[in-house]
Amino acid sequence: MWKRNNLWAGRALMLLITALVLALSVAGTGALRAQGGDERARPLPLDASPSQTLEDILARQRGEKVSNDIRRQFLGTDLTPEAAREQLGILGGASDPDLWRRIRFNEIDPTVSARGPVEGVLIQDAGMRWLEERTTVARNGAIGLGGVILLLALFFLLRGRVRLETGFSGVEIPRFTEMERISHWLLASSFILLGLTGLWSLYGRLALIELIGRDSYATVTALTKQVHNNVAWAFILGLVMVFVQWVAWNLPSREDITWLLKGGGLFSKGVHVPARKFNAGQKIVFWLVTLLGTSVALTGLSLLFPYQLPIFDRIYAFINAAGGLVGADPGLPEGLLPVEDMQLAQLWHSIIAMVMIGVIFAHIYIGTIGMEGAFSAMGRGKVDRNWAREHHSIWAEEQEKAMGAAEDTPPAQPVE
């Protein structure tokens, strides 16, 4: 019954999750600014009008970029009545195109009454680039996660479940302490909730808004946002607790090379590679979760506190400076506006989260339906002795010696 429950629990977890560096920006200014107004692409002919034209509009509809170089030449010179009459639209020169060109190219410095990091941004067309890149992340993320699931399904079909070749002995060895399991499940459960709510945020509008209705979608989305924002603290706590308790066990050792060369025995029956408490595969997962989780947490904090914890601008400046020391110029943009920094944080947060979800898919698979007897390690904190000998023989030998020494020690005599 216990083994059947493990199997169904593993399947439920696999189904439940199907669908996560760093960043700093400049403080806001009271001056009106334009963001992303210096795009270069299709050059205009030298005799082109600085006004918006039908050709410009059609070019943008075709996905082409329209150069603004010609318009820059007209800064500081109001249009003539003849040029105003050529403008597209009925307002002609009444809309004061010269003023808007000045704003677009940051050549004007009017002040605004509100003060803050973003109040001075009037034109923010970098938001369109962010929307396109977010769509790309969503598409590639779905392909990536689908690929991971297909690979795991193919591995299961070809290899089947990794079973105990010597069978269960009935004797159990302590594997994880209660505090280790609490830390693991705090990290695991919070990540599952963050993954589900994050996937809803990324794909919900695309896939579910018409299915459940706009009002229901808005209600659920507001709820998932609150869950995501608040569960993040549990994830950070669990990440710290797991790292502190297991970092010493996950340092590289000689046995890791042999384990990797033999694929941990996962691809061949009858192959049992010696390993300590954590084998090379588990160490890789540990460090991926630590590094990716830290990156996700930092960008998440930047998003939780908008414009208060920007990081990309300073990182870009640091990389550029470091490249300059070795004669290279990475050419990363500096002086990012606060909104741009937030957009980069959101994109990076999504990309790293997607990679992390893929890693956890594999981890959940091998810990449940992929390997017989593995779930009891975190389920009850104990593993069968034969399981320990087959998968972690060095650690098992140390544990059995310690248990034997404890059994051989005579009980303490009461003091009279």
Side-chain angles (χ1 to χ4, degrees), residues 379-393:
R380 295 183 295 114
K382 300 178 180 180
V383 293
D384 188 86
R385 181 174 61 188
N386 286 350
W387 184 93
R389 288 174 175 176
E390 289 188 14
H391 300 293
H392 299 270
S393 58

Side-chain angles (χ1 to χ4, degrees), residues 60-103:
R60 289 191 176 96
Q61 289 178 347
R62 293 192 297 268
E64 300 175 11
K65 299 293 185 181
V66 177
S67 173
N68 289 298
D69 289 348
I70 296 298
R71 293 179 176 86
R72 283 180 177 275
Q73 300 176 12
F74 287 82
L75 292 178
T77 59
D78 292 329
L79 292 178
T80 63
E82 291 76 19
R85 284 194 293 272
E86 294 176 3
Q87 288 222 112
L88 193 66
I90 60 174
L91 292 178
S95 60
D96 199 351
D98 186 59
L99 171 64
W100 290 105
R101 283 198 301 272
R102 284 172 170 269
I103 293 173

Side-chain angles (χ1 to χ4, degrees), residues 131-158:
L131 182 60
E132 293 172 0
E133 290 161 359
R134 185 176 186 271
T135 303
T136 301
V137 169
R139 181 180 64 250
N140 293 341
I143 294 172
L145 293 183
V148 170
I149 295 173
L150 288 176
L151 285 175
L152 292 175
L154 181 63
F155 180 80
F156 184 77
L157 290 174
L158 296 177

Side-chain angles (χ1 to χ4, degrees), residues 1-12 161 369 375:
M1 175 65 72
W2 174 252
K3 285 189 274 188
R4 284 202 302 271
N5 289 342
N6 286 347
L7 183 61
W8 282 109
R11 290 175 177 171
R161 198 176 195 200
I369 61 176
F375 186 78

Side-chain angles (χ1 to χ4, degrees), residues 215-243:
D215 291 342
S216 298
Y217 172 79
T219 301
V220 175
T221 300
L223 176 62
T224 58
K225 180 179 182 295
Q226 292 301 318
V227 171
H228 196 88
N229 291 350
N230 290 285
V231 171
W233 303 108
F235 173 79
I236 294 173
L237 177 60
L239 187 66
V240 172
M241 293 173 67
V242 165
F243 178 80

